[in-house]
């Protein structure tokens, strides 16, 4: 399945729907001891994580999700060079990913703004 739109909005809607389904099955809300993190998010059913964060980079929540989930690949689209370097240090040094490929795309010729596309693969 491919999802288009705001990832945070999609995640919130998906979580609400899943919690409702679980509550209907069991009669109670799932506990935080189920798969996923303490917020009840389950990151164990996906192979690829696509992120396109704002110029400030990934939030700590998204970095944690990438590292704790079962993602084999992370596709990172970035317009913030400093934030990209910071996030790659976290994901590669701590998170167990390696840079498999990267590309720099000049979408705005004549400016210093570039988009970076990085493919990370879990070791």
């Amino acid at each position: 399945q491919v999802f288009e739109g705001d990832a945070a909005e999609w995640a919130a809607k998906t979580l609400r729907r899943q919690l409702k389904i679980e509550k209907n099955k069991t009669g109670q809300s799932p506990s935080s001891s189920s798969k996923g993190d303490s917020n009840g998010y389950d990151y164990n059913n996906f192979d690829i994580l696509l992120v396109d964060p704002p110029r400030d980079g990934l939030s700590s929540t998204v970095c944690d999700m990438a590292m704790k989930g079962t993602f084999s690949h992370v596709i990172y689209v970035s317009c913030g060079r400093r934030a990209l370097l910071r996030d790659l240090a976290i994901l590669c040094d701590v998170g167990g990913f390696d840079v498999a490929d990267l590309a720099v795309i000049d979408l705005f010729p004549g400016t210093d703004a570039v988009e970076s596309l990085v493919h990370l693969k879990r070791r």
Side-chain angles (χ1 to χ4, degrees), residues 38-116:
S38 61
N39 295 316
Y41 295 103
D42 181 1
Y43 310 127
N44 296 312
N45 296 317
F46 299 95
D47 187 44
I48 300 171
L49 174 64
L50 171 66
V51 294
D52 185 359
R55 192 172 299 277
D56 293 337
L58 298 176
S59 68
S60 61
T61 302
V62 175
C63 280
D64 286 345
M65 178 178 70
M67 293 185 293
K68 291 177 183 175
T70 59
F71 306 105
S72 299
H73 305 270
V74 175
I75 307 299
Y76 192 128
V77 180
S78 175
C79 63
R81 288 173 272 185
R82 287 186 182 99
L84 175 62
L85 289 173
R86 180 201 66 219
D87 293 343
L88 289 179
I90 294 168
L91 294 172
C92 293
D93 295 344
V94 179
F97 288 93
D98 287 320
V99 175
D101 203 0
L102 66 96
V104 178
I105 305 161
D106 187 3
L107 295 177
F108 307 103
T111 71
D112 68 345
V114 295
E115 289 286 319
S116 301

